[in-house]
Amino acid sequence: KAADNDNGKNDGKKNYDDYGPSFYPKPSLMVKPDPSLSAEKESELIGKWGKWSFVDKKHNQRPKEDYCASYPNSDIPRKDFPANAWQTDQEYLKGWLDEGIRLADRAMEAILSEYGHGKEQEKEKSFEERSKMFSMDYVDYTKDPTAKIGNNSNDRGGITTEDSYKGLVRRVLHALVTNDTFSVVLGGHSAAAGHGNLFKQSYTMQFHKVVEPVFSLLGVSLTSQNLARGGLGTLQDSLGFRDSYGEDIDVMLWDSGMTEGRDVKAVDLFYRMAVLSGNRVPFLFGSTDDLRYMNVQTGADIGVLGTGFEGIPECEDAVQCERLPYAVRYMKCSTAENSQLCRTNKFKANCWVDRDDVKPGTKQAAQPGSQVSWHPGFRTHQLTGRVIGFTILRAIKHALEKWQNTDNYVLPDEEWHVKGHYESIRKKTLENTKDASCRNYAGVLPDRVCDIPMNSRN
């Protein structure tokens, strides 16, 4: 709410052209007016968290056409920006970049506050100390081919390589410069899909809830798709990857360990199709062993997500647990005496809310099905969504800082163009298929499924 204020203009109707880039996709779909929010409360929230206040003073002079679209992957050379484009306006960029960095900082601080690690809650600690639960460690597979996610990294944000993270920042920066879309897609099994919970409680949607309003204010339209399927893995979708998952993916997540964790053929095919099938080559999140191969052999940008559990306090008993921040309650019960507390409070989802004006003709179930021990509850999904969200928010901040630190805000093309990066990864992927695991489907699938983009129709 504090980031989305029309300052009394337009009789309450926001003029989003005043707030940022001319190709502003649309107002955030995740931030909705709260009629119960009083002016005093809104003022209090703004005082605590700040608000987006950047205004483009020349918005009426900006070109209205999409001048990036005619270039492959929208990689428009700097010299071809129209004279009145915001991307070359130093006054605009100074204010917009400053405001954008503060916005990303506020969003990360809000997440930390949600988990009991905010500025006011841990006054003596630095941001790095308070955000350790979401930090990602760098590994170098060229120096240590056997590197895996360790206990510390697993309990925090996970692992990536330095070059991979730079690749993520490049993708974010490209979306910001071109006012493009940014797409995050999940393929996986029932636990990833969120079975036992409401769809909006699944971690893909929890990620979207936090990051979409930030991207929206910066002129980027975020789409997040939870395409995981119960009882299945990803093979059936990999065989038609472009149509099943999409063709403009920036971040692709594989989370199907229960159904495909030992099926290296299917996992390898998933990653290869992610690289070969679409218009973009996504950053890949998934399991260590297969991603290590993709990173070393093809230069693919990869990461393995951690749990974030390092920042979760122990739930000792019902009274103490209720005093903890809401997001961390009943998540960590390490003893036999308190384990039942966590099991009892694992899910929070009803199928039907009683109302006077509608009476369902059939009996409604009490809660969604599949509330079983191996499916994560809503708080675990939320935390996973925040781990992903914190990583993307950090990348947004670093992308904006990269632009801010250039001379006179002149961002060199090679710092944000993606076409060459994509082509290099694809070329190396096709050159390294001889020993690929996906060739081990002898008698089931032909070898060519490793080499060509797969489409589907139903």
Side-chain angles (χ1 to χ4, degrees):
K1 301 296 189 298
D4 194 349
N5 188 323
D6 70 347
N7 298 322
K9 298 178 183 178
N10 305 317
D11 298 322
K13 297 180 180 178
K14 299 175 180 61
N15 181 357
Y16 281 89
D17 279 343
D18 289 346
Y19 281 75
S22 299
F23 303 149
Y24 220 92
K26 54 192 169 184
S28 169
L29 299 178
M30 302 305 296
V31 178
K32 298 179 180 179
D34 182 355
S36 67
L37 187 66
S38 67
E40 291 76 16
K41 183 62 177 178
E42 182 176 6
S43 178
E44 177 187 336
L45 289 172
I46 292 173
K48 180 178 181 180
W49 294 105
K51 70 172 183 178
W52 178 266
S53 58
F54 175 75
V55 173
D56 182 9
K57 299 176 182 178
K58 303 176 184 176
H59 70 91
N60 288 325
Q61 304 172 30
R62 304 294 181 201
K64 300 303 181 185
E65 73 279 4
D66 186 350
Y67 40 81
C68 302
S70 61
Y71 297 86
N73 294 110
S74 295
D75 279 355
I76 179 174
R78 178 178 171 80
K79 63 180 179 61
D80 291 349
F81 280 116
N84 54 349
W86 68 268
Q87 292 93 336
T88 58
D89 186 329
Q90 291 187 20
E91 180 184 3
Y92 179 103
L93 289 170
K94 182 180 186 305
W96 182 72
L97 290 168
D98 285 343
E99 192 72 26
I101 291 168
R102 287 195 292 269
L103 176 66
D105 277 333
R106 291 200 301 272
M108 287 188 285
E109 286 291 352
I111 293 174
L112 293 175
S113 180
E114 186 178 33
Y115 284 88
H117 302 290
K119 290 179 180 178
E120 297 301 316
Q121 296 149 312
E122 297 183 336
K123 295 180 179 180
E124 304 302 318
K125 294 184 178 181
S126 65
F127 176 82
E128 288 71 24
E129 292 172 321
R130 292 186 291 108
S131 63
K132 190 170 290 186
M133 67 183 288
F134 296 113
S135 64
M136 296 195 81
D137 295 328
Y138 287 149
V139 296
D140 187 342
Y141 292 131
T142 62
K143 294 181 180 178
D144 183 4
T146 63
K148 292 188 176 183
I149 187 167
N151 289 335
N152 288 340
S153 301
N154 186 60
D155 290 339
R156 296 173 186 169
I159 59 173
T160 185
T161 71
E162 187 171 0
D163 285 342
S164 291
Y165 182 71
K166 290 178 180 177
L168 177 61
V169 172
R170 176 184 293 270
R171 289 170 175 82
V172 171
L173 187 54
H174 184 274
L176 293 170
V177 174
T178 59
N179 294 127
D180 208 339
T181 60
F182 195 87
S183 177
V184 176
V185 179
L186 166 69
H189 50 31
S190 57
H195 288 196
N197 301 275
L198 301 176
F199 184 75
K200 68 179 182 181
Q201 292 173 324
S202 66
Y203 68 71
T204 311
M205 297 300 102
Q206 285 299 307
F207 155 78
H208 189 82
K209 176 182 178 181
V210 171
V211 180
E212 191 267 359
V214 175
F215 262 135
S216 184
L217 283 169
L218 293 169
V220 175
S221 181
L222 173 67
T223 60
S224 306
Q225 297 186 72
N226 175 356
L227 300 180
R229 308 180 193 278
L232 296 170
T234 58
L235 176 60
Q236 72 286 340
D237 290 305
S238 295
L239 291 173
F241 198 101
R242 184 183 183 98
D243 299 287
S244 291
Y245 289 125
E247 57 189 14
D248 293 308
I249 306 172
D250 296 285
V251 175
M252 189 77 214
L253 298 104
W254 177 90
D255 186 358
S256 201
M258 288 192 297
T259 54
E260 289 179 333
R262 298 180 181 179
D263 189 353
V264 293
K265 306 184 298 299
V267 182
D268 181 57
L269 182 63
F270 178 90
Y271 293 138
R272 289 179 177 278
M273 288 300 102
V275 167
L276 297 175
S277 294
N279 300 323
R280 305 174 187 178
V281 174
F283 184 100
L284 302 172
F285 275 117
S287 60
T288 306
D289 293 342
D290 308 285
L291 286 175
R292 182 194 303 117
Y293 177 88
M294 289 296 294
N295 177 252
V296 173
Q297 298 296 325
T298 75
D301 300 318
I302 59 92
V304 181
L305 287 175
T307 65
F309 258 69
E310 181 175 303
I312 305 300
E314 181 75 19
C315 177
E316 299 171 1
D317 56 59
V319 175
Q320 176 265 355
C321 207
E322 283 293 323
R323 292 173 179 165
L324 297 174
Y326 184 80
V328 305
R329 294 176 189 171
Y330 307 108
M331 289 193 69
K332 187 180 288 186
C333 299
S334 302
T335 67
E337 291 77 15
N338 63 15
S339 60
Q340 184 60 36
L341 280 172
C342 285
R343 287 196 295 269
T344 302
N345 292 277
K346 183 177 180 180
F347 297 100
K348 186 181 181 181
N350 298 322
C351 289
W352 181 260
V353 177
D354 288 331
R355 48 193 290 180
D356 295 332
D357 57 333
V358 176
K359 299 297 182 183
T362 56
K363 181 177 175 56
Q364 301 296 298
Q367 64 275 324
S370 298
Q371 292 189 351
V372 292
S373 60
W374 56 89
H375 285 163
F378 76 101
R379 285 189 173 94
T380 302
H381 272 279
Q382 177 174 305
L383 178 56
T384 303
R386 299 299 190 266
V387 169
I388 303 169
F390 209 92
T391 301
I392 301 299
L393 288 168
R394 197 190 295 268
I396 291 173
K397 180 181 179 180
H398 289 162
L400 293 169
E401 287 179 335
K402 177 187 279 286
W403 198 347
Q404 186 183 55
N405 292 331
T406 57
D407 292 336
N408 298 317
Y409 308 112
V410 177
L411 184 64
D413 293 345
E414 61 270 18
E415 293 293 331
W416 67 274
H417 282 188
V418 295
K419 183 174 182 289
H421 187 53
Y422 292 168
E423 289 179 344
S424 174
I425 297 171
R426 284 195 176 116
K427 181 174 183 291
K428 292 176 183 176
T429 299
L430 290 172
E431 290 172 348
N432 287 276
T433 58
K434 181 179 179 181
D435 300 321
S437 297
C438 61
R439 288 190 179 276
N440 295 329
Y441 277 111
V444 179
L445 294 172
D447 285 350
R448 67 177 181 273
V449 299
C450 295
D451 303 328
I452 59 175
M454 300 296 292
N455 299 277
S456 62
R457 180 180 298 167
N458 63 26

